[in-house]
Amino acid sequence: MATGEVHPQTDEAAALLKEAEALESRAEHKERKAGAAWCSAEGAVFLERDAADCRAKAAAMRAKAQELCNPGHSVPQKEECRG
């Protein structure tokens, strides 16, 4: 392997993981805000929902990064029924 080779899938996976970490951090921040004494109950509901959305997006990004790192371990497709 040459030192100048580029691995687009690995690079893309690393970018996805970095973005997932940022989303997780954002979710933690929103959850802390939701639990603050100054936050209204209605505001807390919205913040917690936003945090859950961030966590779901982060999980999807981590799954995609895992798929890019291990392309041979993807879920097999259903066989077509011929009859």
Side-chain angles (χ1 to χ4, degrees):
M1 173 166 61
T3 56
E5 285 186 34
V6 176
H7 301 284
Q9 287 186 338
T10 305
D11 293 344
E12 187 178 340
L16 284 170
L17 289 174
K18 186 175 180 178
E19 195 169 337
E21 287 177 24
L23 282 169
E24 287 285 341
S25 176
R26 188 177 308 156
E28 289 174 15
H29 182 71
K30 288 177 183 276
E31 288 170 343
R32 279 194 305 271
K33 278 185 166 181
W38 54 263
C39 186
S40 68
E42 183 180 83
V45 169
F46 287 113
L47 287 167
E48 288 170 354
R49 186 179 61 193
D50 287 348
D53 288 345
C54 287
R55 290 195 188 279
K57 288 177 185 175
M61 286 180 181
R62 290 183 198 285
K64 179 66 177 176
Q66 183 68 30
E67 184 180 305
L68 289 172
C69 289
N70 300 318
H73 298 288
S74 61
V75 178
Q77 299 295 320
K78 292 183 179 180
E79 290 186 21
E80 191 174 305
C81 186
R82 298 179 189 174

